[in-house]
Amino acid sequence: MQRCPWCEGSDLYRHYHDTEWGVPMRDDRALFELINLEGAQAGLSWSTVLNKREHYRVVFDDFDPAIIARYDERKVNALLKDPGIIRNKLKIAATIGNAKAYLALAKEEQTFSDFVWQFVNHKPIQHNRQSLTEVPTKTAESDAMSKALQKIGFKFVGSTICYAFMQASGMVNDHLVSCHRHTPVQKMTLT
């Protein structure tokens, strides 16, 4: 079975590639989790975050923005001491700030899903890439998403992070055409 070469290296990474990466995602909380995990990954490998994801879900209250927005200094200090996550004060603070921005968006009666999917006109962009060298690190769409997220108060959402988020959440299909997941992902519709 042929896969995108970036996922080789561990069973967990292959499983993520085969079952999640590139699948169109519309659930607000799942998207909120993903954008924050992508931000936590900045400067690191995705496999590092993937190995810590389950623990992140526990200590970040299943990425419930209403709970995270109320984190206080005591909670932040506990997170900074937790070896099960990436202990970076700026990234932890960003997640809390992102939760507040998420809630402010909801008060304006806009879902997070609608907000982020607008940058691809609410429809996955289908690519037919032959090799990893054809895959960009950012695009005009990720530039626009990054600027818009920053404008409403999100942090750790640079264009490269946004493009990785778009790939992971199925806004773009960057499975190589030789990958066994390219065609199945291409056929998926938003749920």
Side-chain angles (χ1 to χ4, degrees), residues 27-33 35-36 63-66 95-108 110-113 152-154:
D27 180 80
D28 285 326
R29 187 171 308 174
L31 288 164
F32 178 72
E33 173 186 316
I35 196 76
N36 283 291
F63 285 92
D64 184 331
T95 301
I96 297 167
N98 292 350
K100 292 174 183 177
Y102 176 102
L103 294 173
L105 187 66
K107 279 186 181 177
E108 294 177 12
Q110 184 171 17
T111 67
F112 188 61
S113 177
I152 64 169
F154 275 74

Side-chain angles (χ1 to χ4, degrees), residues 11-168:
D11 289 339
L12 181 63
Y13 220 15
R14 282 186 290 275
H15 182 266
Y16 170 75
H17 169 274
D18 290 354
T19 61
E20 294 181 55
W21 194 75
V23 174
M25 179 189 298
R26 294 286 289 189
D27 180 80
D28 285 326
R29 187 171 308 174
L31 288 164
F32 178 72
E33 173 186 316
L34 183 59
I35 196 76
N36 283 291
L37 291 177
E38 291 288 355
Q41 182 235 336
L44 304 168
S45 71
W46 181 245
S47 62
T48 299
V49 173
L50 199 55
N51 284 317
K52 296 176 179 284
R53 181 169 65 169
E54 290 306 317
H55 191 68
Y56 262 97
R57 288 173 173 162
V58 172
V59 299
F60 278 94
D61 295 288
D62 202 27
F63 285 92
D64 184 331
I67 297 172
I68 294 171
R70 296 191 311 264
Y71 283 2
D72 58 14
E73 189 176 333
R74 197 169 93 200
K75 175 67 174 184
V76 170
N77 288 332
L79 290 169
L80 287 169
K81 293 176 187 169
D82 192 326
I85 65 167
I86 295 157
R87 295 175 287 179
N88 178 301
K89 191 171 189 170
L90 293 175
K91 291 177 180 181
I92 292 168
T95 301
I96 297 167
N98 292 350
K100 292 174 183 177
Y102 176 102
L103 294 173
L105 187 66
K107 279 186 181 177
E108 294 177 12
E109 297 183 12
Q110 184 171 17
T111 67
F112 188 61
S113 177
D114 282 343
F115 184 84
V116 295
W117 274 90
Q118 72 179 314
F119 300 99
V120 293
N121 295 317
H122 302 278
K123 183 180 176 190
I125 296 171
Q126 301 297 331
H127 291 135
N128 292 298
R129 308 206 192 273
Q130 303 293 320
S131 73
L132 290 180
T133 60
E134 296 175 27
V135 181
T137 58
K138 60 183 183 171
T139 62
E141 293 85 1
S142 68
D143 288 347
M145 179 188 287
S146 173
K147 287 177 186 170
L149 284 168
Q150 289 176 37
K151 185 175 181 180
I152 64 169
F154 275 74
K155 303 281 187 222
F156 277 89
V157 288
S159 187
T160 300
I161 289 170
C162 285
Y163 194 68
F165 169 73
M166 293 169 81
Q167 292 172 304

